[in-house]
C-alpha cells in the first residue's frame, strides 16, 4: 500500500513538473520541450486550403500574387471574364460557401482514417476564416460566408471526437500596407507584427485552441522580426493548449528543418530515409495546387495507389503524412477528393495496424524488393512485430524479401486475411524469406497489402 502511494506521489510530481514548466524565448529552451505523444501515434492528417482564391479556382492559391506578377494565364482569364477595374478583394463577397457544412466536413475527414485536421485560418492573401478583431472587412464573418468558419469547424470536430483540430496560419500577407512598410524598412520596424499579426495569432490560439499550429509565410524575415521565440514561449508555457499543441518549423528565415516540434522543411518533403527529428510530409492530392482548381484534370489527381505509396514511404521513415485537398468556393469537397479520402480510410481500416502508433524498423525499404516498406510495433506477447507494406502484388504469388530473417518460431500473417501464410527460408544470397501469398480475390485490401511478421531473428526486441 505504501509503495503504491509513493508511486502515485511520484507520478503526480512528474505531471505537475511537465505542466508547470516555463519555456524561455530561445531555441535551446523551446527545443527541449517534449512533443505531445498523440502526434507521432496519429501518423496521418488531412489539410485543407480554402479562401477567396477558391472563387476563380485557377492556377493555385497564389492566384493574387501571380496575377500581380503578370501571370499570362491569370491575366487572360481575368480579361475575358471580369471588368478591367476588378480587384482581388472583390472575390471576397463571392466566396459564399453556400453548401458549407462543418459537421459534414468532419465526417468526411474521419472517413479518411486521418487522426488530425488542419485548416487554413489565414493564407498569404490575409483573408481570415474567423471574425478576427484585427481584420475588419476581410474575414469570413464580415463578407462571403458571413460565418465563423474556424469556429464552426472547431466545434464540429470536437463534437465528433474522432479527429484532432488544427490550424494553418500565414505569418506574412503579400500586400498588407503595414507589412510592405516594414519590408521597405528592411524589417527594422515591426508595426505589422505588433499591431496586426502578433495579436491576431494569439487571439486565434486562445479562442479556438488548436492541437496543431501550422505556421507558414515566414521566409522573408528573421524569427526576431516575427517575434517567434516570444510567441512560442507563450504557446508552450501559458497558452490554453500548452500541453497538447504541436507547432511546425516555419518561424523565420533559416529556421525550417532546424527548430520546431515537427520539421516540414519544404512542401512535399519526403526524404526517403529515416530522420533524426520528427518530420511531416505535407503534400496535396492535386499535383499542381493546394487550393481548388476548377480546371483540374483527372491526370492531375494522385491515384490511391500513389497516395498509399506516399503514406508507406513517409511512415516507414518516421514521418507523418498531411494530405491536402481544396474545397470549392461553395464549401463542397470535390467528389474525386472525397473518393480518395474514403479509399484511404478503407485501406487503413484493414491495414492501420501497420501505420498508427508504429515505429520505424531497422530497415525502411527492402533490400531486394523496392516496392516493400517496413514499420514495426512492440507487442506485449511477441516483442517487436514487423510489418511489410507491399505496394505491388507479386505476379508469381511468391513474395521474396531481403531484410526479415526468419527463425523457428516465425509466424507470417496478411492483414485482412484470416489464415496464416506459409513461408520458407530464402535461397540465394539476397533473399532471406519467401512468403506464399494467398489467392488475391480472398484478400480484403484492393491496392496495397501488409504482411505481418512475428518472432523474426532480427526483429530487435524479444519479450519472454
Amino acid at each position: 500500500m505504501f509503495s503504491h502511494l509513493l508511486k502515485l506521489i511520484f507520478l503526480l510530481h512528474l505531471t505537475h513538473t511537465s505542466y508547470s514548466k516555463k519555456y524561455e524565448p530561445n531555441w535551446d529552451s523551446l527545443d527541449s520541450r517534449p512533443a505531445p505523444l498523440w502526434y507521432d501515434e496519429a501518423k496521418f492528417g488531412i489539410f485543407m486550403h480554402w479562401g477567396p482564391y477558391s472563387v476563380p479556382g485557377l492556377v493555385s492559391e497564389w492566384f493574387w500574387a501571380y496575377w500581380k506578377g503578370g501571370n499570362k494565364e491569370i491575366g487572360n482569364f481575368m480579361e475575358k471574364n471580369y471588368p478591367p477595374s476588378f480587384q482581388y478583394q472583390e472575390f471576397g463577397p463571392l466566396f459564399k460557401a453556400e453548401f458549407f457544412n462543418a459537421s459534414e466536413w468532419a465526417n468526411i475527414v474521419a472517413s479518411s482514417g486521418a487522426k488530425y485536421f488542419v485548416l487554413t485560418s489565414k493564407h498569404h492573401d490575409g483573408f481570415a476564416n474567423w471574425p478576427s478583431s484585427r481584420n475588419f472587412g476581410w474575414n469570413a464573418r464580415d463578407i462571403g460566408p458571413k460565418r465563423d468558419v474556424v469556429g464552426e469547424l472547431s466545434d464540429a470536430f470536437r463534437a465528433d471526437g474522432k479527429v484532432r483540430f488544427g490550424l494553418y496560419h500565414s505569418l506574412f500577407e503579400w500586400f498588407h500596407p503595414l507589412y510592405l512598410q516594414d519590408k521597405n524598412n528592411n524589417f527594422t520596424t515591426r508595426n505589422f507584427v505588433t499591431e496586426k499579426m502578433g495579436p491576431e495569432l494569439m487571439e486565434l490560439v486562445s479562442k479556438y485552441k488548436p492541437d496543431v499550429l501550422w505556421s507558414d509565410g515566414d521566409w522573408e524575415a528573421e524569427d526576431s522580426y516575427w517575434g517567434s521565440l516570444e510567441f512560442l514561449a507563450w504557446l508552450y508555457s501559458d497558452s490554453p493548449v500548452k500541453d497538447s499543441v504541436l507547432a511546425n518549423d516555419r518561424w523565420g528565415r533559416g529556421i525550417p528543418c532546424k527548430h520546431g516540434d515537427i520539421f516540414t522543411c519544404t512542401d512535399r518533403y519526403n526524404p526517403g530515409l529515416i530522420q533524426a527529428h520528427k518530420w511531416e510530409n505535407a503534400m496535396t492530392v492535386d499535383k499542381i495546387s493546394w487550393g481548388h482548381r476548377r480546371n483540374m484534370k483527372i491526370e492531375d489527381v494522385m491515384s490511391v495507389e500513389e497516395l498509399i505509396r506516399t503514406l508507406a514511404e513517409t511512415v516507414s521513415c518516421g514521418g507523418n503524412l498531411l494530405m491536402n485537398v481544396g474545397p470549392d468556393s461553395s464549401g463542397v469537397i470535390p467528389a474525386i477528393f472525397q473518393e480518395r479520402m474514403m479509399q484511404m480510410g478503407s485501406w487503413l481500416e484493414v491495414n492501420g495496424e501497420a501505420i498508427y502508433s508504429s515505429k520505424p524498423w531497422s530497415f525502411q525499404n527492402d533490400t531486394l524488393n523496392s516496392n516493400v516498406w517496413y514499420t514495426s510495433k512492440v507487442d506485449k506477447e511477441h516483442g517487436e512485430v514487423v510489418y511489410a507494406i507491399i505496394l505491388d502484388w507479386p505476379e508469381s504469388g511468391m513474395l521474396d524479401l531481403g531484410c526479415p530473417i526468419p527463425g523457428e518460431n516465425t509466424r507470417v500473417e496478411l492483414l485482412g486475411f484470416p489464415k496464416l501464410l506459409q513461408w520458407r527460408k530464402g535461397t540465394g544470397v539476397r533473399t532471406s524469406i519467401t512468403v506464399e501469398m494467398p489467392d488475391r480475390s480472398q484478400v480484403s485490401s484492393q491496392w496495397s497489402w501488409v504482411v505481418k511478421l512475428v518472432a523474426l531473428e532480427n526483429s530487435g526486441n524479444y519479450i519472454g
Side-chain angles (χ1 to χ4, degrees), residues 273-324:
L273 298 169
I274 196 165
Q275 303 295 298
H277 190 88
K278 185 63 189 181
W279 60 281
E280 182 176 76
N281 179 0
M283 45 69 68
T284 183
V285 179
D286 176 353
K287 300 174 186 178
I288 295 173
S289 175
W290 299 77
H292 176 67
R293 287 192 307 132
R294 292 190 290 161
N295 61 343
M296 180 180 70
K297 298 178 174 61
I298 190 65
E299 59 263 29
D300 298 334
V301 180
M302 291 183 72
S303 67
V304 65
E305 291 88 354
E306 290 174 312
L307 292 171
I308 293 171
R309 173 183 291 272
T310 305
L311 178 66
E313 293 170 348
T314 300
V315 175
S316 293
C317 295
N320 277 27
L321 184 69
L322 184 59
M323 188 179 92
N324 178 82

Side-chain angles (χ1 to χ4, degrees), residues 76-89:
N76 291 337
F77 171 81
M78 294 303 296
E79 186 177 334
K80 290 178 182 178
N81 296 285
Y82 295 90
S85 61
F86 192 91
Q87 301 294 313
Y88 179 82
Q89 289 87 339

Side-chain angles (χ1 to χ4, degrees), residues 13-76:
H13 172 72
L14 287 179
T15 303
H16 175 75
T17 301
S18 62
Y19 286 176
S20 62
K21 180 169 182 178
K22 297 292 184 181
Y23 292 92
E24 300 297 324
N26 61 72
W27 285 119
D28 285 343
S29 177
L30 297 172
D31 288 342
S32 72
R33 174 183 183 254
L37 295 176
W38 73 261
Y39 177 82
D40 184 54
E41 295 171 350
K43 303 300 182 188
F44 179 46
I46 294 294
F47 208 176
M48 288 192 192
H49 281 61
W50 198 43
Y53 43 82
S54 305
V55 177
L58 183 70
V59 178
S60 83
E61 68 289 346
W62 278 59
F63 182 95
W64 191 8
Y66 290 159
W67 183 19
K68 287 277 192 177
N71 180 283
K72 290 184 180 180
E73 183 180 2
I74 293 176
N76 291 337

Side-chain angles (χ1 to χ4, degrees), residues 272-274 312-313 315-318 359-368 372-376 384 386-389 402-405 432 456-460:
L273 298 169
I274 196 165
E313 293 170 348
V315 175
S316 293
C317 295
K359 300 291 182 185
W361 187 41
S362 307
F363 302 90
Q364 283 69 62
N365 196 200
D366 191 64
T367 53
L368 180 65
V372 175
W373 293 82
Y374 293 104
T375 62
S376 68
E384 188 166 14
V386 174
Y387 301 92
I389 304 172
C403 293
I405 300 175
S432 295
L456 292 172
E457 291 287 335
N458 62 338
S459 61

Side-chain angles (χ1 to χ4, degrees), residues 389-408:
I389 304 172
I390 317 299
L391 301 178
D392 287 326
W393 189 272
E395 292 183 8
S396 67
M398 305 302 289
L399 176 67
D400 293 328
L401 299 175
C403 293
I405 300 175
E408 292 183 4

Side-chain angles (χ1 to χ4, degrees), residues 400-401 404 406 423-435:
D400 293 328
L401 299 175
W423 62 271
R424 65 173 181 264
K425 288 190 176 183
T427 57
V429 178
R430 300 180 62 197
T431 305
S432 295
I433 185 172
T434 297
V435 178

